[in-house]
Amino acid sequence: MLAITGLTHTYTGGHTALDGLDLTVPDGQLLSIVGPSGCGKSTLLRCIAGLIRPTGGTLEMDGAPVDGVPDDLAVVFQDYSRSLFPWLTVRDNVAMPLRRRGGSRAERRAAADEALESVGLHDAARKYPWQLSGGMQQRVSIARALAYRPSLMLMDEPFGSVDAQTREDLEDLVLGVHRTGKMTILLVTHDIDESVYVGDRVVVLNRSPARVHADIPVGLPASRDQIETRGLPEFVRLRAEVGRLVRGGARVPGAAPADGLPADRGPDADGQAETGAG
Amino acid sequence: MTARRILLGAAGAVVVVGALEAVSRAGLVDETSLPPASTVLKEAGKLAMDREFLVDVGATVREWLLGLLLAVLAAVPLGVLLGSVPLLGTASRALVELCRPVPSVALIPLATLLFSSPAQTNMSLIFYACLWPILVNTLYALRDVDPVAKDTLRAFGFSAPAVLWRVSLPSAAPFIATGVRIAASVALVVLISTELLVGGDNGIGIYLTETQQGGGRTDLMLAGACWAGVLGLLANTALTALERVAFRWHAARVEGIA
């Protein structure tokens, strides 16, 4: 279980991206995190990944406080072309993080091949990332995360740079991976449909500085289909609800509006909120 | 594509040589101060067989390579250090920018005082001249390593030295290689200049000085200069080819084959 309490981060320039964010994610959940652009979603993910040290609050994994990069964590970045190493073959890219796990070169390669197989890219092992299409490159990134066998996978707008068809394929790939791998996945997106389609639960963040604005369980059947699921009344209802919340017009009991009513802000947030509220 | 490039390059050389030949033959300039290109090329051909000249070339090439090697050995680690530790990078910036434009030739008096043999003097000056292009390229290449690439390995729990070794160095390598290639051309120019000015026993610059003694043979001087040019061209071609092979991924990325 991942437990985040009072997570606050103010950048050196004085911009507060996170303000007392609380979030608990049970093991094995696929949580979508959605919010208006620039709301601090990526800052949240980077804090969890240990890439930036938050200025306040605590992070706990399975009851133990996390300082720095948690073990068994893998991150999939939006920018696959920058995240994959162009001087390594696809297989070596996937095998690279396994150096942390020890094991022989042959074992690492075998694990990489297995992960590539699971994302349908076994023929691409000897190619270089830049010889592949964007969608295939993002599959390689996902395979690299899978080969590492993480207990927590963070995905930062992973499908933001691919075309619509590829996006749907990759969404289904993540759903499949989640079903078989039983890992916890945090998927940050600004796409409302996507957050509902892939999530077991959707968390909507406020405009910057980010706090949890709404927390919505997704009551859709576990097995999802791009056409059928998106046609279900429950999907349509959830999409509308999340959409309203992201836009800031809260219609949900108990959820605070996001567009800057004083009740929604901490006493120390004045002056900072204007930047994100425009 | 390469064949076309070589052909065009050769065509350009032929045109220039032809023009020089015509200028000289037409009597526009005195034949002793600018001998016809054909004479110069004939002498250059003879020089290729001349044992003494080959000894000079050997001396120049040896000092050139040793000076360059020393500069690489010093500049790359220093560049990596200054490029990966922001504090040191900022602290050294003004100093680097101050020392970089100082021409090596201006340091000849200092180098002759410090070193007893001309070979050492030459190598120290090459070292100085080569240090900057390699250092600056290494430094900026390390500073410009994609943060997403570094974050990727950091998020998998790799330590800072591991990220440096596995991400920063490989991604900076093509730029470091370019720095070395630039330094190699600079080094040749500096070396021949110091040979001309400092003197010594053997070297292309020494040969060039000798051609001017007792009447002066401009044709021989130009023939020697041709060979200096050929050395520069060979070095540049070899290093470019090496870069293309070693950093195929970089070329592919830059040219947008992906």
Side-chain angles (χ1 to χ4, degrees), chain A residues 46 51 81-83 100 130, chain B residues 146 151-152 154 156 253 258:
Chain A
R46 293 172 66 80
L51 293 174
S81 66
R82 294 167 61 193
S83 174
R100 285 254 305 142
W130 37 268
Chain B
D146 197 318
D151 281 350
T152 301
R154 280 178 62 206
F156 280 114
R253 247 191 165 188

Side-chain angles (χ1 to χ4, degrees), chain A residues 91-169:
Chain A
R91 178 197 278 140
D92 289 343
N93 262 287
V94 175
M96 170 74 99
L98 301 174
R99 287 177 180 276
R100 285 254 305 142
R101 294 266 195 263
S104 69
R105 191 181 162 84
E107 282 166 358
R108 291 200 300 265
R109 292 199 145 194
D113 285 339
E114 193 190 321
L116 282 168
E117 179 90 50
S118 72
V119 300
L121 276 182
H122 48 280
D123 337 322
R126 285 157 183 276
K127 290 193 174 160
Y128 286 87
W130 37 268
Q131 294 173 318
L132 306 178
S133 70
M136 285 162 94
Q137 289 185 47
Q138 194 58 303
R139 275 173 197 268
V140 175
S141 301
I142 294 170
R144 177 168 64 183
L146 293 178
Y148 195 65
R149 301 197 178 283
S151 54
L152 175 62
M153 181 150 89
L154 306 179
M155 307 184 91
D156 189 2
E157 308 218 7
F159 317 131
S161 307
V162 295
D163 61 81
Q165 176 63 47
T166 309
R167 188 181 186 111
E168 293 186 351
D169 293 345

Side-chain angles (χ1 to χ4, degrees), chain A residues 16 66 89 129 144 150 169 172 185 194 206 221 233 257-258 265:
Chain A
T16 300
V66 176
T89 61
R144 177 168 64 183
D169 293 345
D172 289 334
I185 300 179
E194 181 171 283
N206 268 6
R265 285 204 206 144

Side-chain angles (χ1 to χ4, degrees), chain B residues 186-231:
Chain B
V186 171
L188 187 62
V189 174
V190 167
L191 177 54
I192 293 175
S193 316
T194 51
E195 283 173 348
L196 283 169
L197 294 167
V198 178
D201 299 326
N202 298 305
I204 296 178
I206 310 299
Y207 175 82
L208 296 182
T209 314
E210 282 165 1
T211 60
Q212 295 311 296
Q213 285 157 1
R217 287 284 303 275
T218 316
D219 53 342
L220 288 182
M221 190 201 76
L222 289 175
C226 274
W227 281 113
V230 168
L231 282 185

